[in-house]
Amino acid sequence: MADTTRTATLTIDGQTYDLPMHSPSVGPDVIDITKLYGQAGVFTHDPGFTSTSSCESSITYIDGIKGELLHRGYPIDQLAEKSHYLEVCYLLLYGELPSAAELETFESTITRHTMIHEQMHNFFRGFRRDAHPMATMVGVVGAMSAFYHDSTDITDERQREIASHRLIAKMPTIAAMAYKYSIGQPFVYPRNDLSYAANFLRMCFAVPAEEYVVDPVLERAMDRIFTLHADHEQNASTSTVRLASSSGANPFACIAAGIACLWGPAHGGANQACLEMLKEIGSVDRIPEYIARAKDKDDPFRLMGFGHRVYKNFDPRAKVMKQSADEVLELLGVENNPLLQVAKELERIAVNDAYFIEKKLFPNVDFYSGIILEAMGFPTSMFTPIFAVSRTVGWISQWKEQLADPAMKIGRPRQLYMGETLRDYVEIEDR
Ligand code: SDX
């Protein structure tokens, strides 16, 4: 536990309660309320957890004011430029950048876990062809616990490690198979001579009728997109994984729960919703109409890809993603992509608009990613599955950290009850 530095004093009806405060290595101090209900008979109330620390973690730090994102202390812009996804996976899982030998062993292990049990292919055939790939992924990942019994005992450290490697390795295969199934093409098996990103591109876009050569520009862009989405502190889907894990559920069930939560358009589903919004806007001259709708309290429309619970000035991932968008589209010869023009003009207008400045709304990680993914050939339905592939290492790293935390107990919030008080049953003839 972090150092107890100071005490907060709470006064209720003239009675004072001293609550210990803990100081982090960086960021806001926390007030420890674990004993508040026992001492004062009151709960704290924080729907949406806007002011609540749910756990102690050492994996990722976000400074919403500075627009800073650190993975084990390393800033995301340096990792995006100098590292690559599997090295970032090692960093998130084990806490330090690997030596050359450690990285080679880790990459070899992940590479050799990329195939799924052949029997699992039948799962896909039980879905409709037009099922959303996220629905397929939730089902197939949850079903992994029916196949990999030798890595579901969460009390066994080696089984936890095997489950971690299997999930990181197999998620791209499952996502690619969900895509192939949805377009009626045969599954493509992973290849051990390809990088993680190249393997995913080939499993998505190769067909048996001809050789598929991975474009190194797309491979680099894919790897960077994986790196930028890898982990993000206690976001909704990571908190879902932690809560599921707190009951002792197996890792495959916990990650399936995380995938389900990520799917929502307020979270990981925003990349699909953002691109669909840009297509609906269609041209720069229609942007003012949508800006007005976003400001209209009576209109539920929100600018997808804008805003963030934590970042209040800019999302550092969006800055890197925007650079990648320019590079990828130029190298693909689609730099005049009309959607990119709409996105850039929308960003320019929004970040200079008093409403958005006051509400602290600006592009988040999902704003530019969809433009790159569409240029790479992915349908919008694959945007969130790609987010899920990347975030699996974050979910798993947080899952492992929680299981190793001696303070961990089942998560069980209370409530502010506003329903009926005690009353007797009324027979139907008396109602
Ligand atoms: C991700 O948590 C993470 O770390 C998530 C993530 C990760 O890596 O895991 O970063 C990934 O989920 C990024 C966010 C993707 N979502 C979207 O782009 C969807 C659009 N954004 C919004 O739904 C919203 O901004 C959220 C969900 C991202 C944040 O919501 P909050 O923090 O609960 O903020 P809020 O809904 O309370 O909004 C504050 C105000 C409101 O106005 P008032 O009620 O105060 O008058 O800002 C307005 C909102 O109406 N507002 C928007 C808006 N987002 C917030 N208005 C127009 N367009 C928007 N996008």
Side-chain angles (χ1 to χ4, degrees), residues 267-391:
H267 190 15
N271 51 20
Q272 173 174 347
C274 178
L275 200 85
E276 287 163 356
M277 174 192 74
L278 292 174
K279 287 181 175 177
E280 184 185 331
I281 294 174
S283 62
V284 296
D285 59 338
R286 293 191 64 202
I287 290 175
E289 169 195 341
Y290 284 84
I291 294 273
R293 285 186 58 193
K295 297 178 183 176
D296 180 354
K297 282 285 162 238
D298 298 324
D299 188 333
F301 173 78
R302 287 194 165 186
L303 285 179
M304 303 315 283
F306 275 79
H308 199 276
R309 170 62 59 75
V310 177
Y311 292 125
K312 296 308 173 190
N313 285 306
F314 65 92
D315 182 335
R317 302 166 298 176
K319 288 179 75 172
V320 179
M321 200 72 81
K322 184 176 178 180
Q323 290 163 3
S324 290
D326 285 331
E327 289 165 18
V328 170
L329 297 186
E330 184 182 348
L331 284 160
L332 290 175
V334 287
E335 62 270 29
N336 297 320
N337 178 317
L339 290 180
L340 182 63
Q341 307 315 320
V342 172
K344 286 188 170 179
E345 180 63 7
L346 178 57
E347 178 185 9
R348 186 192 68 77
I349 293 173
V351 298
N352 291 295
D353 181 290
Y355 176 87
F356 291 96
I357 293 169
E358 185 241 329
K359 298 285 183 191
K360 299 188 180 304
L361 302 175
F362 47 84
N364 57 46
V365 68
D366 294 302
F367 186 64
Y368 283 103
S369 58
I371 292 168
I372 302 174
L373 292 171
E374 178 170 81
M376 293 171 72
F378 290 105
T380 53
S381 61
M382 278 300 291
F383 291 4
T384 310
I386 287 167
F387 195 150
V389 168
S390 166
R391 186 53 58 86

